[in-house]
Amino acid sequence: MQITKEEFKKELEQKLDSQFAVDVEHASLGELYSALSNVLRDGYAPNWRETRIKEAHEGKKQVYYFSIEFLPGTLLRSNLLNLGWMDTVKSALKDLGLNLDDIAAKEPDMALGNGGLGRLAAAFMDSLASTGYVGNGNGIHYKYGLFKQKFVNGYQVELPNDWLQKHNHWEVMRDNKSVLVHFGGQVNLVQKDNWMTPEYNGGYSIKAVPYDIPVVGYHTGIVNTMRLWDAEIPESEEINYPTIDDRRKVEDLTSILYPDDSSYSGRLLRLKQEYFFVSAGLQSILRYYTKDLKQNDMHNLPKYVAVHINDTHPAMAVAELMRLLVDEYHIDWDEAWKITVQVISYTNHTIMAEAMEKWDINMMTQLLPRIMQIITEIDRRYVISLTGKVAESVINDTRIVNNGNVQMAHLAIIGSHSVNGVAPLHTHLLETEVLKEFYELYPERFNNKTNGITLRRWLQIANPKLSKLLDQTVGRDWRTDSAKMLLLQDSYKNAKVLKQINEIKLENKEKLAKFIKKTTGITVDPTAIFDVQIKRLHAYKRQTLKLLHIIKLYHDLKNGIDHPKRVVIFGAKAAPSYTYAKDVIKVINEVANVINNDASIHGKLKVIFLENYDVTLAEKIIPAADISEQISTTTKEASGTSNMKLMANGALTVATMDGANVDIAKAVGQDNIFIFGLNKDQVYDYYNKHDYKPRDMYNSDQVMKETVDALIDGSFSKAANEGRVLYDSFLQENEEFLVLADFESYLQAQKKIEENWHDQRSWTQKALVNIAHSEEFNADNTVARYAKDIWGLKKLN
Ligand code: KOT
């Protein structure tokens, strides 16, 4: 539905009047946000309804993307953009003396995820709707999103993120679609009507209530649904929860998002959360299949339904679908197994050993007795199927139940028809190292699907000026057909275009500089190099290597060795229990304090650690970046996606050949990226030979020694203890992240960056090439590959 400026103004006035009894002139920004989002809801509501009718009518196969995290950020501007209302609304608001950005700033960031994995899930939701597929999200309606990060005396402090307090204007609670999820008790199998039927004794049920969030497609008229489940006490059992405390225990189930990234948190509550949203999602799928689609043959389920599990957190879907098919729909085990494997597919997002989920058998038996029985049976049959065919060690290494644990990745792989990694190198490492034995058993299941990003958000929303320039140079079609962005390369020598790219970057940097001034009080020069590292704080991502570079630059400047002006900008949250990562934050903050306040270096170097990195903050930083830091230990970063967002905005990448950096390097060519560091074979050599001796390197390299020593010699005395922790970690024999091994090579890459910076024309040309080639990482294309190769989807008519 399109809208004219006048219609929009009228609608906005009406909403302000009916909701708050105010006129435009007297409305607060919060009231304007609320009214504006309501106008928008009216705009897409017919599409949302029609999409559901069309889906049921056409009966096309649908994918259900099961993810314990979704990180959509804010939705006002993306809904405006996707509905095709952006320009009209901006201009109407301007007429009214209002600014869309000010109003949009009132929307809480929906931070129901930790980082890359959650953001990817949200990107896929957008892309499915924007390319014409029916795709549904299935996740948890957390009361508190990822913690709000503050720095107090340089330390990270975590505050609750009560995002729902101000009400989520987009969601619709659908009580009539609620289902019950059972926990605890005991199960006995009894013969009933010729069927071994489970009889439950004891335990309790929790009501799963869905909150549906619309996912508006870009100019497609499609509005898909992201369904997030909340926990409530079933009406029939209210008597069993007489006190407020009792009630709180139930509500706690969906209260908090686990703030751990790449590490496994062995908490009972987490296991409950996983089963809760998996069971609710599958029950709701089967109800739709039987009631709405009126299908009665479960054997046809794979023709209508694909369930994708985003890493292993939803891997219990394998057992739960078996339970539903066997216990509830009386399908023979072997048949049910075939259906399950055809329906389910799995993405692995990390090779970090500590992220490999496993659950204690006793815990699982107590909480989910029937699921544990089913997993045991899947495992038993798996072992039988391989006995005598492969070495016993292979069976032991790959079976699901082992050493008192349930291995979730094994369950996911054995129960899926597709297992994918998220960049070619990562998939290769899965096949040859981490999941080698599985790859030998099921080579046909393994495939690569390189990650992608929502270019619409990172260009059209975050960088409207660059988007306009693209319109002028390659035509507006790039907005729907991103391959057209490649045409920007025709302007490689066009002085006018190069000048405009420069001007836009400078304006974006000025804007960020203002934000930095406002939030930190620190003045930064927008003409300096804006050097950006934004991602979760983790040892393998090596914010520490950037820190060493900063210290080296500082020493040079103090010693009269000149460098181009630079502002290093960090954004990163550390998991609350990850003390090393928190130590890194403290050290960076104290190093920043010393450098930012040292008049003797004349402001040539500034270090800014912005608080509370989230999607909203990313939208401010990314358009202003000159340098994108992608410096993980090679082999450790599965893909990375900030690397893609930054290149799309014309930042040049300094990178190890890790994750999707490899593909970015291939896309832009060696001349347009700064590659450094050990390659994957060298890294594995160190790991296999156990002969990494950082102390020898340190003792034989004066510059390295001086740089690392600064952490303990009193230069940054307010972080003396934490500095010592980092110092010791770098020098430890066989230190896993090989920080010092890449130090020299990283300095060389940074030197090259400085040399290039002096030639602004050639710098901007490199930026142009990066912008053009970011089209390769459009999540729309990624999703098209999943749809074709894994899910077997057809577009809606
Ligand atoms: C967290 C816990 C367990 C298993 C995996 C994770 C995980 C992995 N969380 N985020 N990731 C990141 O996923 C992104 C999307 O695929 C990748 O780009 C990134 O390299 C992963 O670290």
Side-chain angles (χ1 to χ4, degrees):
M1 192 185 91
Q2 283 314 311
I3 196 165
T4 65
K5 247 164 61 164
E6 291 318 311
E7 284 166 351
F8 170 75
K9 285 183 201 166
K10 214 170 118 202
E11 296 249 345
L12 185 71
E13 279 161 10
Q14 274 171 5
K15 294 280 187 229
L16 281 172
D17 196 28
S18 65
Q19 280 182 260
F20 305 106
V22 287
D23 54 24
V24 172
E25 208 186 320
H26 297 96
S28 69
L29 287 173
E31 287 164 347
L32 282 162
Y33 164 67
S34 174
L36 176 49
S37 57
N38 274 331
V39 177
L40 208 52
R41 279 170 63 137
D42 290 352
Y44 63 65
N47 290 346
W48 201 5
R49 182 167 33 83
E50 279 155 24
T51 302
R52 288 205 307 277
I53 293 168
K54 232 171 161 182
E55 277 164 26
H57 177 71
E58 292 184 22
K60 293 235 165 71
K61 188 169 179 180
Q62 302 190 23
V63 65
Y64 296 83
Y65 199 84
F66 280 34
S67 180
I68 201 156
E69 301 188 2
F70 285 95
L71 256 179
T74 55
L75 293 177
L76 177 68
R77 286 173 309 162
S78 87
N79 286 345
L80 279 172
L81 178 79
N82 290 3
L83 204 56
W85 286 17
M86 185 66 106
D87 293 342
T88 312
V89 167
K90 264 191 185 168
S91 149
L93 290 172
K94 210 167 156 201
D95 291 353
L96 298 170
L98 298 165
N99 176 315
L100 176 62
D101 288 344
D102 297 339
I103 298 173
K106 287 287 149 189
E107 181 174 358
D109 190 291
M110 235 178 125
L112 308 185
N114 277 292
L117 171 146
R119 181 57 217 158
L120 189 78
F124 283 5
M125 288 297 101
D126 186 302
S127 284
L128 282 161
S130 296
T131 51
Y133 291 107
V134 191
N136 312 271
N138 187 65
I140 296 177
H141 189 257
Y142 298 105
K143 183 158 192 281
Y144 295 98
L146 184 61
F147 66 85
K148 222 192 300 172
Q149 180 194 52
K150 290 260 177 227
F151 295 142
V152 177
N153 297 326
Y155 292 105
Q156 168 176 295
V157 173
E158 302 99 27
L159 300 174
N161 169 6
D162 197 355
W163 72 290
L164 279 173
Q165 196 185 32
K166 290 199 185 97
H167 178 70
N168 177 2
H169 289 264
W170 314 111
E171 70 191 16
V172 176
M173 193 251 249
R174 297 197 196 280
D175 193 48
N176 63 327
K177 305 277 183 211
S178 298
V179 297
L180 293 180
V181 178
H182 194 80
F183 292 97
Q186 270 123 27
V187 215
N188 295 313
L189 290 177
V190 290
Q191 183 92 15
K192 230 195 237 169
D193 304 332
N194 249 343
W195 200 263
M196 294 307 284
T197 307
E199 251 185 22
Y200 292 83
N201 298 312
Y204 56 98
S205 289
I206 290 184
K207 182 175 164 191
V209 182
Y211 285 74
D212 284 358
I213 294 163
V215 184
V216 180
Y218 181 69
H219 298 189
T220 54
I222 291 178
V223 180
N224 284 334
T225 301
M226 181 164 77
R227 177 163 282 185
L228 304 179
W229 298 95
D230 208 347
E232 284 186 15
I233 296 164
E235 284 82 359
S236 59
E237 293 191 26
E238 274 185 324
I239 194 78
N240 300 327
Y241 300 89
T243 70
I244 294 186
D245 250 14
D246 293 333
R247 285 178 169 261
R248 197 164 294 138
K249 275 191 200 121
V250 172
E251 286 152 12
D252 270 353
L253 177 47
T254 50
S255 188
I256 63 150
L257 161 77
Y258 271 78
D260 275 309
D261 193 67
S262 307
S263 82
Y264 149 77
S265 164
R267 300 276 314 279
L268 183 66
L269 190 56
R270 172 72 165 202
L271 182 62
K272 264 192 189 176
Q273 287 185 335
E274 292 184 356
Y275 182 66
F276 176 72
F277 89 99
V278 160
S279 176
L282 287 171
Q283 290 187 56
S284 129
I285 290 168
L286 293 189
R287 185 174 55 194
Y288 180 77
Y289 179 70
T290 50
K291 299 263 153 47
D292 298 66
L293 295 180
K294 302 195 172 39
Q295 296 291 325
N296 47 26
D297 187 352
M298 284 295 156
H299 293 87
N300 289 328
L301 192 66
K303 287 191 197 145
Y304 292 88
V305 172
V307 171
H308 197 85
I309 57 179
N310 198 22
D311 221 288
T312 57
H313 322 115
M316 261 179 292
V318 174
E320 176 67 0
L321 185 53
M322 284 300 288
R323 183 187 73 78
L324 291 165
L325 293 173
V326 175
D327 291 355
E328 311 270 328
Y329 290 91
H330 293 192
I331 307 288
D332 271 332
W333 183 281
D334 288 331
E335 292 296 309
W337 183 247
K338 267 190 221 149
I339 296 168
T340 297
V341 173
Q342 279 181 73
V343 164
I344 294 179
S345 50
Y346 154 63
T347 298
N348 172 291
H349 292 270
T350 182
I351 66 165
M352 301 289 289
E354 69 264 30
M356 293 298 170
E357 260 192 312
K358 47 180 194 271
W359 292 109
D360 179 76
I361 292 176
N362 296 323
M363 197 200 274
M364 236 196 205
T365 307
Q366 266 176 31
L367 185 70
L368 305 164
R370 182 63 184 140
I371 290 300
M372 192 59 227
Q373 282 179 349
I374 289 173
I375 290 175
T376 308
E377 181 61 12
I378 295 172
D379 179 63
R380 190 184 71 82
R381 289 174 185 242
Y382 174 76
V383 171
I384 291 173
S385 75
L386 292 180
T387 302
K389 294 192 185 127
V390 300
E392 214 167 296
S393 64
V394 172
I395 300 178
N396 278 328
D397 292 347
T398 59
R399 64 184 294 181
I400 301 163
V401 186
N402 212 346
N403 297 327
N405 286 313
V406 178
Q407 301 287 344
M408 300 308 272
H410 300 190
L411 178 63
I413 298 166
I414 293 167
S416 301
H417 65 278
S418 168
V419 177
N420 76 282
V422 291
L425 173 63
H426 171 231
T427 302
H428 174 77
L429 292 171
L430 291 180
E431 292 174 354
T432 57
E433 304 278 344
V434 188
L435 302 176
K436 188 168 180 281
E437 292 178 314
F438 280 112
Y439 180 58
E440 282 159 10
L441 291 168
Y442 308 113
E444 72 291 344
R445 290 189 185 186
F446 283 73
N447 64 94
N448 178 63
K449 294 285 169 281
T450 305
N451 283 166
I453 56 167
T454 307
L455 283 172
R456 283 175 287 281
R457 179 175 292 267
W458 303 108
L459 282 174
Q460 299 195 59
I461 294 174
N463 201 343
K465 290 191 177 117
L466 185 58
S467 302
K468 282 243 164 64
L469 180 63
L470 278 165
D471 290 347
Q472 288 158 18
T473 47
V474 308
R476 275 187 72 91
D477 285 358
W478 72 275
R479 291 177 184 252
T480 40
D481 175 9
S482 59
K484 294 263 163 38
M485 290 170 71
L486 288 169
L487 295 173
L488 186 61
Q489 296 193 100
D490 296 347
S491 304
Y492 190 74
K493 291 184 176 158
N494 183 326
K496 196 174 148 211
V497 171
L498 294 174
K499 185 164 163 263
Q500 283 172 300
I501 292 179
N502 263 338
E503 284 168 358
I504 290 165
K505 184 60 80 183
L506 185 62
E507 283 175 41
N508 291 336
K509 288 164 73 176
E510 281 163 353
K511 208 167 151 194
L512 181 61
K514 273 196 197 133
F515 177 81
I516 289 172
K517 180 77 192 176
K518 198 177 90 191
T519 51
T520 68
I522 300 167
T523 307
V524 299
D525 179 352
T527 66
I529 304 175
F530 276 25
D531 179 352
V532 168
Q533 188 172 20
I534 41 174
K535 46 187 82 254
R536 278 300 282 249
L537 215 141
H538 204 292
Y540 85 78
K541 294 180 189 279
R542 297 199 298 192
Q543 280 90 355
T544 48
L545 186 56
K546 184 75 245 166
L547 172 69
L548 292 179
H549 176 230
I550 291 168
I551 296 173
K552 163 70 167 63
L553 286 178
Y554 180 52
H555 286 171
D556 280 359
L557 292 170
K558 298 244 356 141
N559 293 328
I561 303 167
D562 199 27
H563 288 277
K565 229 183 205 182
R566 196 189 280 249
V567 180
V568 182
I569 299 164
F570 291 98
K573 288 180 182 174
S577 60
Y578 190 177
T579 50
Y580 182 81
K582 292 175 117 175
D583 289 345
V584 175
I585 291 180
K586 170 69 174 171
V587 177
I588 294 177
N589 277 328
E590 294 307 340
V591 168
N593 262 333
V594 169
I595 293 177
N596 296 341
N597 292 305
D598 185 338
S600 76
I601 59 165
H602 308 292
K604 285 227 122 186
L605 179 61
K606 290 275 165 86
V607 181
I608 309 291
F609 205 139
L610 289 172
E611 280 174 334
N612 201 38
Y613 179 64
D614 60 7
V615 174
T616 302
L617 183 57
E619 288 166 4
K620 295 187 168 73
I621 299 174
I622 290 172
D626 294 307
I627 288 290
S628 158
E629 297 280 349
Q630 307 300 335
I631 58 180
S632 52
T633 312
T634 298
T635 72
K636 298 286 189 200
E637 188 71 89
S639 161
T641 42
S642 76
N643 46 4
M644 302 167 184
K645 295 163 199 169
L646 284 155
M647 84 183 283
N649 281 273
L652 306 191
T653 311
V654 54
T656 50
M657 282 297 255
D658 197 17
N661 300 344
V662 177
D663 309 271
I664 292 176
K666 221 187 258 166
V668 301
Q670 289 299 321
D671 291 343
N672 299 300
I673 190 166
F674 304 97
I675 295 293
F676 74 98
L678 301 170
N679 63 33
K680 77 163 198 320
D681 297 327
Q682 293 168 316
V683 168
Y684 271 101
D685 253 11
Y686 274 131
Y687 290 167
N688 294 332
K689 295 186 184 139
H690 305 285
D691 64 351
Y692 174 49
K693 297 207 164 60
R695 196 168 281 279
D696 293 353
M697 293 179 179
Y698 161 92
N699 283 326
S700 63
D701 179 338
Q702 195 52 31
V703 172
M704 184 190 292
K705 188 165 184 313
E706 278 166 15
T707 308
V708 177
D709 282 350
L711 292 168
I712 54 158
D713 69 3
S715 307
F716 311 108
S717 55
K718 283 194 178 157
N721 295 336
E722 296 80 9
R724 168 62 71 175
V725 170
L726 302 205
Y727 175 93
D728 288 342
S729 75
F730 297 151
L731 291 173
Q732 208 175 76
E733 204 167 300
N734 294 317
E735 183 268 316
E736 189 183 357
F737 304 106
L738 303 162
V739 177
L740 296 188
D742 276 344
F743 177 72
E744 180 51 34
S745 159
Y746 184 54
L747 292 189
Q748 288 306 320
Q750 291 291 347
K751 202 169 147 215
K752 221 169 132 191
I753 287 173
E754 294 188 355
E755 287 160 12
N756 271 260
W757 180 254
H758 289 303
D759 184 349
Q760 274 298 311
R761 178 183 146 87
S762 123
W763 184 280
T764 312
Q765 284 178 319
K766 292 183 197 328
L768 176 147
V769 172
N770 273 272
I771 297 165
H773 283 278
S774 67
E775 66 81 28
E776 189 177 321
F777 304 100
N778 184 345
D780 293 357
N781 301 336
T782 309
V783 152
R785 293 190 279 268
Y786 276 86
K788 179 170 169 287
D789 303 344
I790 302 178
W791 303 327
L793 302 188
K794 296 265 182 314
K795 292 187 181 185
L796 269 188
N797 291 323

